[in-house]
Amino acid sequence: MMNGVTYKNPEFFYLLLVLIPMIVWYLFRYRKAGASIRYSTLKGFSGLSKSWKHYLRHLPFVLQLAGIGLLTVALARPQSSNSWQDVTTEGIDIVIALDISSSMLARDFQPNRLEAAKNVATEFISGRRDDKMGLVVFSGESFTQCPLTTDHAVLINLFKDIESGMIEDGTAIGNGLATSVARLKESDAISKVIILLTDGENNRGEIAPETAAELAKTFGIRVYTVGVGTIGTAPYPMQTPFGTQMREVEVKIDEETLQKIADITDGRYFRATNNDKLIQIYEEIDQLEKSKMEVKEYSRKDEEFSRVAILAGVVLLLGLFLKTTLFRNIP
């Protein structure tokens, strides 16, 4: 906890300088206000007592100065910050960039890579209710399936609609990452994150993955890259004259590029070789981001100017009342 008062517009305190000429003018006028009479002796006045009005004759002017001072403080807009709090709110914007190329239909994951990625991502989204999240999909090109939103139900429904073959086939990692950066670059969140999941090598697109990574770094975006696929070969459904048959195909993931993207953006690279490992990776990313935010603090500031303004009005009115009633005939 911390206690203190700050001022939104401290430049208004310069108005207090107006009190100096007011005081000078008051003293000058007060000295000139009284008439002088010469007496040969003051013995006849020695026993007279002065009234309370004499001792309080400067009170209306003092109240006037106090009222102007308080009004100046109100214009400076005081704000109390007596409630610093440690918070666990995330304040994170996350975009998931998902590869939907045809190779994501390989069945080294159950039921296949794409469906496994969708299921795990859906669980991840459900567990981060305080964050804004979005979805970008890519294969031969990329597009935004869902912009940043706090409506996670809509996002999850859009995840379910994803299918391989929605766009031209291929693996444009750079384009997918660049589109994700475009969704986050205007964000004012405390932390901006991209989770990029792919199972192949960059072979399409106009933007190189390293270039997109440098762009992400420029906007303070951290990228977690996930390579999806077993080591060696994976069963892949292929169309033949005899129907769909499973064939073993080589798993080729450009881990060097994915690691480089992570390094450039201060993120991390993960390799998912099965469903359980993919779940563990999302859990680790979840904890990494939460641990970063648990040390953040914020201060709730309360506006105090209205109270000060009311007090200033009361003091000015009291000074005016006294000046026009009890001290009306006192110079």
Side-chain angles (χ1 to χ4, degrees):
M1 297 287 292
M2 296 178 62
N3 297 308
V5 176
T6 58
Y7 295 91
K8 181 71 174 179
N9 304 309
E11 62 274 10
F12 279 101
F13 281 118
Y14 286 112
L15 293 176
L16 291 175
L17 295 174
V18 77
L19 298 181
I20 297 175
M22 288 181 63
I23 295 172
V24 172
W25 172 252
Y26 179 81
L27 293 175
F28 176 78
R29 187 172 61 87
Y30 178 75
R31 289 179 179 179
K32 294 292 184 180
S36 60
I37 303 176
R38 292 187 177 183
Y39 289 91
S40 58
T41 179
L42 295 176
K43 290 182 179 180
F45 300 96
S46 60
L48 296 178
S49 62
K50 296 179 181 179
S51 70
W52 60 271
K53 289 186 179 182
H54 172 79
Y55 293 107
L56 298 178
R57 64 191 184 278
H58 300 302
L59 181 60
F61 180 68
V62 171
L63 289 174
Q64 185 181 13
L65 294 178
I68 293 173
L70 288 170
L71 190 60
T72 302
V73 172
L75 289 173
R77 196 174 167 183
Q79 298 174 325
S80 65
S81 55
N82 56 354
S83 57
W84 285 91
Q85 301 179 24
D86 294 325
V87 293
T88 55
T89 182
E90 303 308 316
I92 301 174
D93 286 356
I94 301 174
V95 169
I96 297 176
L98 181 61
D99 186 347
I100 61 170
S101 60
S102 59
S103 59
M104 287 290 287
L105 297 177
R107 296 183 183 176
D108 46 352
F109 286 66
Q110 298 300 320
N112 58 45
R113 293 174 184 172
L114 181 57
E115 291 302 318
K118 288 163 58 176
N119 294 336
V120 175
T122 297
E123 292 298 320
F124 178 77
I125 293 166
S126 299
R128 300 191 69 92
R129 291 173 293 179
D130 297 321
D131 299 325
K132 287 194 293 184
M133 303 187 72
L135 172 62
V136 168
V137 295
F138 66 93
S139 53
E141 53 190 26
S142 65
F143 71 90
T144 302
Q145 177 78 349
C146 181
L148 288 171
T149 180
T150 55
D151 192 339
H152 291 178
V154 169
L155 178 58
I156 289 172
N157 285 332
L158 289 171
F159 249 100
K160 293 177 180 178
D161 293 338
I162 295 173
E163 294 180 357
S164 181
M166 292 173 61
I167 49 181
E168 186 179 356
D169 202 15
T171 306
I173 296 174
N175 282 29
L177 181 54
T179 301
S180 303
V181 170
R183 299 279 71 81
L184 284 169
K185 66 179 183 178
E186 302 297 335
S187 168
D188 57 358
I190 297 172
S191 184
K192 295 177 282 189
V193 172
I194 294 171
I195 302 173
L196 187 147
L197 188 147
T198 182
D199 69 341
E201 301 171 307
N202 188 74
N203 55 26
R204 296 291 300 275
E206 304 80 19
I207 304 174
E210 294 84 353
T211 302
E214 291 291 348
L215 189 63
K217 179 181 179 181
T218 300
F219 291 105
I221 300 170
R222 185 166 41 258
V223 183
Y224 295 109
T225 53
V226 182
V228 180
T230 57
I231 306 298
T233 61
Y236 181 80
M238 289 190 173
Q239 296 297 325
T240 71
F242 304 100
T244 302
Q245 294 185 357
M246 302 303 297
R247 300 284 178 85
E248 291 292 325
V249 297
E250 186 180 1
V251 177
K252 295 181 179 180
I253 299 175
D254 190 352
E255 293 190 281
E256 183 179 350
T257 296
L258 295 179
Q259 182 67 64
K260 189 176 295 184
I261 291 172
D263 291 342
I264 290 172
T265 61
D266 195 28
R268 284 184 60 182
Y269 168 66
F270 302 90
R271 177 69 183 265
T273 54
N274 54 50
N275 291 59
D276 291 338
K277 183 61 177 177
L278 184 59
I279 292 171
Q280 291 173 14
I281 289 169
Y282 268 97
E283 288 176 348
E284 188 169 350
I285 293 173
D286 185 52
Q287 291 304 314
L288 281 171
E289 288 306 313
K290 281 185 177 178
S291 65
K292 283 180 172 62
M293 301 311 301
E294 284 172 353
V295 300
K296 297 293 181 183
E297 296 181 340
Y298 76 94
S299 172
R300 188 181 67 238
K301 292 186 178 181
D302 297 321
E303 297 286 353
E304 302 290 343
F305 72 91
S306 59
R307 299 178 186 177
V308 180
I310 292 172
L311 180 59
V314 170
V315 171
L316 287 172
L317 288 175
L318 178 60
L320 181 62
F321 172 77
L322 293 176
K323 184 176 180 63
T324 56
T325 55
L326 299 179
F327 297 93
R328 181 175 54 186
N329 298 319
I330 296 179

